[in-house]
Amino acid sequence: MKVTTDACIQGAWTPVLPHVKRVLDIGAGTGLLSLMLAQRKDDIAIDAIEIDKDAARQAKENAAASSWKDRVNVIDGDVRNYPFPDKYDLIVANPPFFNNSLLSNGAAKGIARHTLHLSFSQLLDAVSGNLAADGYVSILLPDAENRVWKGLAQQAGFFEVDRLMVRHTEHAPVKRVVSIFSKNEPSFVGEQELCIMDAGQRYSETFIGLLSPFYLDL
């Protein structure tokens, strides 16, 4: 699985509030989000669950080779039935999407990019069952799929509290949305925008400021 710019943006932007001590990364892939969050806050413990055995194996290797190996626990399992012992202050997910698109070539890629093994409703059940009362969840999706997720989340009693709208350039359509949801109704919903490239087709200053702690050359 490739490291995507979208996932890096989610890992860098997702708020990690002072009360956050336990984090669950659902569909961890090769561990990118878990490692980024571990880098950002040195007193959090992260459980990263991944259903694909090859990806989970690589996530374990990546975590073991990192400076945060003692705080990232990779679980080879299915979030729909895994018996987590505790609730989490923060849950992050870059879930399967493209509900209505043609399947990708290759079974593993299909699982990663389509709602084959984990529908939005099942993901929402996993979030609801494992989130602490004052916890929140960060979800990365394309704009259209985000609207579907938002509707389901609201029906389940969640409130959107913050969002980041990601565009490739200033006048391009919204490409991805990172949304923060909580069971606690906010007094207002925050909204930010991020353009990846500037008018000269260089990385924007905002993008550089957000991602420079994680990129070796930016």
Side-chain angles (χ1 to χ4, degrees), residues 5-6 9 165-173 175 193-211 215 217-218:
T5 301
D6 304 326
I9 290 171
M165 317 288 282
V166 181
R167 304 177 188 271
H168 186 70
T169 59
E170 181 180 1
H171 301 295
K175 177 187 179 188
E193 285 202 5
L194 172 65
C195 295
I196 296 174
M197 311 298 288
D198 63 19
Q201 290 300 306
R202 297 176 296 268
Y203 284 128
S204 69
E205 291 185 6
T206 305
F207 180 87
I208 292 172
L210 182 65
L211 273 300
Y215 279 41
D217 186 14
L218 188 60

Side-chain angles (χ1 to χ4, degrees), residues 51-88:
I51 194 171
D52 181 84
K53 292 186 180 300
D54 290 335
R57 182 171 60 252
Q58 191 170 52
K60 290 178 182 179
E61 293 173 357
N62 290 339
S66 77
S67 301
W68 311 285
K69 58 186 176 184
D70 295 332
R71 296 192 287 114
V72 177
N73 172 44
V74 179
I75 301 167
D76 179 358
D78 188 337
V79 72
R80 294 172 297 182
N81 53 35
Y82 191 84
F84 297 103
D86 299 301
K87 303 293 185 181
Y88 294 90

